[in-house]
Amino acid sequence: MDIQKVVLHIVQMPLKNAFSTHLGTVDIRDGIIIEVIDGNGMSGYGEVVAFTTPWYTEETVKTCLHMLEEILIPLVFSKEIKHPKEIITLFNSVRRNQMAKASLEMAIWDLFAKQQNKPLWQIIGGSRQEVLSGAVVSASSMELMIRQTEDLVQEGYTRIKVKISPKHDYGILQSLRKKFPHLMIMADANSAYSLQDKEELKKLDELKLEMIEQPLAVDDIVEHAILQKELQTPICLDESITSPMEMKNAIHLQSCKMVNIKLARVGGYSNALDIYKLCQQNNIGVWCGGMIEFGVSRAHNIALATLSGFSFPGDIVSSTRYWEEDIIEPEITVKNGKIKRINSPGIGVTINWKRMMEVTKSRKEYNA
Ligand code: OSB
Ligand code: MG
């Protein structure tokens, strides 16, 4: 593939609206845009979607920067790469650090697709013309929450997701269900519960939620299985699934009926595609998760969600929902709850360099 140079663009951009879970609030988004450049000057792009603190997974922007510059970029330069599928083997000697690995691997997939002059969705075997989009509702009062949902339904969204915790669950969800009897509503707990909360979680069954995402701890693969046996509501694993092996464990134990696949959390495309295959073979529903990300990662998500099995709306929303101005052109737009796949080569979007300059804190360059 003739990878000659890697550039890390360290960026920071304020979110239009703060994003909150029971674990904390993100109002300024930090990240790294990875640019991989070949001998012809062609660029592929990836993105570090870790946060400044390790609330979602153990990685942070700084741990990713360390892994990239000290370990992963030198590994990529150490060997002639013919196909991005080889990257996962190349990274075998590095334990975990999935988000750091994913960011570089994604950039290499984008570059590879551009070198072939083909859209990335086609290279990975996608087929959907449009990907299905859902939105996260979060507001300080029930009234605002209902108004936000009304607006989203007006815009054509067919699925909403609400962040819950033991202090804020049944009441909110019941009010939404009353107001929107036919809307697809789901809840995401980001590990706010333990098995002792079983009875409270069982009470949610009557609200006919599409699923409850990651109710228990990241490593509670066994207790998720115990819980799923007692719940009618499907459990969807998020944080727990970071590799194909963990997916196999969840399948053996029947810990979930759904999985949200995030390229970053699972270490990139190779693992994401393997997890996807396992889910297809074992009747586990899949959809594309989100990371309140910049446009580069958002465009990668759209490529992934063109796979036929991504039949449930993902957390992929318009750029404008989070940003005053995104760093890509054209920006991502949702119409009638759907996003058209992008047919230009690679991820199909280009960098809006004017905007990129405004949000870049520093830039680091590495040569082969
Ligand atoms: O748990 O799914 C999650 C955002 C950041 C980190 C973790 C999660 C989320 C979301 C998706 O809920 C929000 C989005 O990107 O639209
Ligand atoms: Mg989640």
Side-chain angles (χ1 to χ4, degrees), residues 209-220:
L209 304 177
E210 295 300 316
M211 67 191 86
I212 175 167
E213 199 177 323
Q214 197 70 39
L216 310 179
V218 178
D219 51 2
D220 263 353

Side-chain angles (χ1 to χ4, degrees), residues 19 51 55-56 134 136 161 163 188 190 213 238-239 260 262 287 289-293 298 315-317 322:
F19 184 87
F51 297 94
W55 67 269
Y56 173 71
V136 180
K161 165 167 145 178
K163 294 287 190 182
D188 185 358
N190 291 104
E213 199 177 323
D238 175 354
E239 287 91 327
N260 102 27
K262 295 183 185 176
W287 54 280
M291 285 293 290
I292 40 175
E293 56 248 291
R298 216 168 275 280
D315 285 341
I316 326 174
V317 288
Y322 289 126

Side-chain angles (χ1 to χ4, degrees), residues 11-24:
V11 294
Q12 185 180 64
M13 200 149 87
L15 284 163
K16 256 189 189 170
N17 302 298
F19 184 87
S20 293
T21 68
H22 73 106
L23 296 164

Side-chain angles (χ1 to χ4, degrees), residues 291-311:
M291 285 293 290
I292 40 175
E293 56 248 291
F294 301 101
V296 168
S297 180
R298 216 168 275 280
H300 276 283
N301 289 345
I302 294 168
L304 182 70
T306 63
L307 292 168
S308 61
F310 282 69
S311 52

